[in-house]
Amino acid sequence: MRALGANPSAEILGALGTLSLIQGQLERSINFFQQALRLAPDSATLNQNLLAAYHRWGFQLLKANQFPQAIKCFNRGLVRFPFSEILLYDLAAAHESAGEYQHALRTYERVLQIRPDYPAAKIGIATTLNNLGAQHARNKAWEQAIACYQRALEHDPGCWQAHQNLEATLMQIGWEKNQIEDLEGAIRAYQKLLEMNPQNAQAYNNLGLIYLKKRDDEKATAHLETALALDANYAEAAANLNYIKKQRVFALMKKAFGTVLIVFLGSFFIVKMATRQANNRSAMERGRKSERRKY
């Protein structure tokens, strides 16, 4: 500081900015670097250190959940460094943390325009789309939620949150369609889910119940058996399959007893008719004998 009073050079101002940066006095550091750059605007080191100061100051605010202040800091830095993918990524993350998902998406897209292979930006945009999808899902806007989850997986196929949420949303749609008797809509939802995850035993179980409603026991049985093959301890699927088997046995018994009953009733009526005819003949014989005695 004494040297600065004697000779205010860019070198001394830069040194003071660096010392302030090391001490965590980030706003003070930025002020020193800005003064230094007025004297030496083309200094790569000063520009690099100023960028680092904005990054660290904004990150510090972000970590303290001071989202508006962090956003303001990053925007301030972007005035000088409008094409910095680092500050743009920081700004997008700040918008995402603040729940401002549309702002975050636009900013992440700016990062990818500058550097299409930026992995952190791809992960960030996928996380933001997943969060936006969850927001739509809370409002039961299922189609918008699905679109967001699918876009998230396009940017980051490894985004397990989007994958899990997409499955849960399709499961919910299938359940709701089933409740309102839109069985074909429910089937489509569960089939989409199984295209994503063929190992989902619950989806097979639910499809089995829908085909049971449609009185298609063959398909119902096949789906329930698949559910049990995937999860041998799936009690609900086992109970549903057992129900179908019992109903099948009952139907066979009903059919068999129905045939026996028809034969029995037929025999009964034949015997009854034969008895009636025999009684009629006996009555006629008795009538003839009586007439002869009178004569």
Side-chain angles (χ1 to χ4, degrees):
M1 291 298 293
R2 286 197 299 271
L4 183 63
N7 181 21
S9 66
E11 184 180 3
I12 294 171
L13 286 164
L16 285 168
T18 302
L19 287 168
S20 299
L21 183 63
I22 292 167
Q23 291 177 315
Q25 298 173 347
L26 301 171
E27 189 171 10
R28 187 170 184 238
S29 171
I30 287 169
N31 290 332
F32 279 128
F33 286 135
Q34 286 176 330
Q35 290 179 57
L37 283 164
R38 279 194 282 271
L39 298 173
D42 298 325
S43 170
T45 302
L46 287 172
N47 277 293
Q48 186 178 355
N49 288 343
L50 178 58
L51 177 60
Y54 276 121
H55 169 71
R56 285 188 57 185
W57 187 25
F59 186 77
Q60 189 180 77
L61 293 166
L62 193 58
K63 195 174 178 181
N65 295 327
Q66 296 179 29
F67 305 132
Q69 294 89 330
I71 289 168
K72 185 178 179 180
C73 172
F74 294 134
N75 276 321
R76 208 176 128 188
L78 284 164
V79 171
R80 182 168 185 91
F81 306 104
F83 301 108
S84 168
E85 66 265 27
I86 294 171
L87 289 180
L88 283 168
Y89 174 84
D90 290 340
L91 178 61
H95 280 304
E96 182 187 347
S97 299
E100 299 170 353
Y101 299 130
Q102 294 296 347
H103 286 299
L105 288 175
R106 285 194 291 270
T107 311
Y108 279 128
E109 285 165 0
R110 284 175 63 191
V111 177
L112 292 175
Q113 286 172 357
I114 295 167
R115 185 178 162 190
D117 62 337
Y118 200 161
K122 290 181 180 180
I123 292 170
I125 201 169
T127 304
T128 303
L129 284 164
N130 173 68
N131 291 336
L132 186 58
Q135 192 177 75
H136 286 309
R138 284 192 292 273
N139 296 325
K140 294 187 178 295
W142 304 124
E143 295 305 320
Q144 293 93 320
I146 288 172
C148 285
Y149 297 140
Q150 288 174 333
R151 284 178 60 201
L153 291 168
E154 287 171 7
H155 285 281
D156 179 17
C159 184
W160 63 268
Q161 298 95 329
H163 199 284
Q164 189 177 59
N165 287 339
L166 181 53
E167 281 194 47
T169 299
L170 289 169
M171 187 72 75
Q172 182 66 25
I173 291 171
W175 183 84
E176 289 190 1
K177 295 284 187 185
N178 187 21
Q179 292 300 302
I180 62 173
E181 298 300 322
D182 180 6
L183 301 185
E184 295 303 323
I187 288 170
R188 285 194 296 272
Y190 290 131
Q191 285 176 339
K192 282 182 184 177
L193 195 161
L194 289 170
E195 286 173 10
M196 286 178 53
N197 180 10
Q199 305 301 311
N200 193 308
Q202 187 181 357
Y204 279 109
N205 174 71
N206 293 356
L207 274 171
L209 290 175
I210 291 170
Y211 281 114
L212 185 59
K213 269 190 179 182
K214 288 168 68 72
R215 300 183 183 279
D216 190 338
D217 287 359
E218 186 177 344
K219 284 187 177 179
T221 300
H223 283 92
L224 291 169
E225 285 176 345
T226 303
L228 283 169
L230 292 169
D231 182 0
N233 298 316
Y234 197 169
E236 185 182 341
N240 291 331
L241 187 59
N242 192 41
Y243 171 79
I244 292 175
K245 288 178 179 177
K246 284 182 178 179
Q247 288 295 105
R248 190 175 293 163
V249 170
F250 178 75
L252 290 171
M253 289 176 64
K254 187 177 177 182
K255 186 177 179 181
F257 280 124
T259 304
V260 170
L261 184 60
I262 290 168
V263 171
F264 173 76
L265 289 173
S267 302
F268 174 77
F269 284 119
I270 290 168
V271 170
K272 191 170 182 181
M273 289 293 292
T275 304
R276 184 178 294 174
Q277 288 174 0
N279 290 338
N280 289 339
R281 282 196 297 271
S282 297
M284 289 173 67
E285 285 295 326
R286 285 195 298 272
R288 289 193 195 98
K289 287 177 182 179
S290 176
E291 286 174 3
R292 283 203 255 351
R293 281 196 298 271
K294 284 179 183 179
Y295 178 74

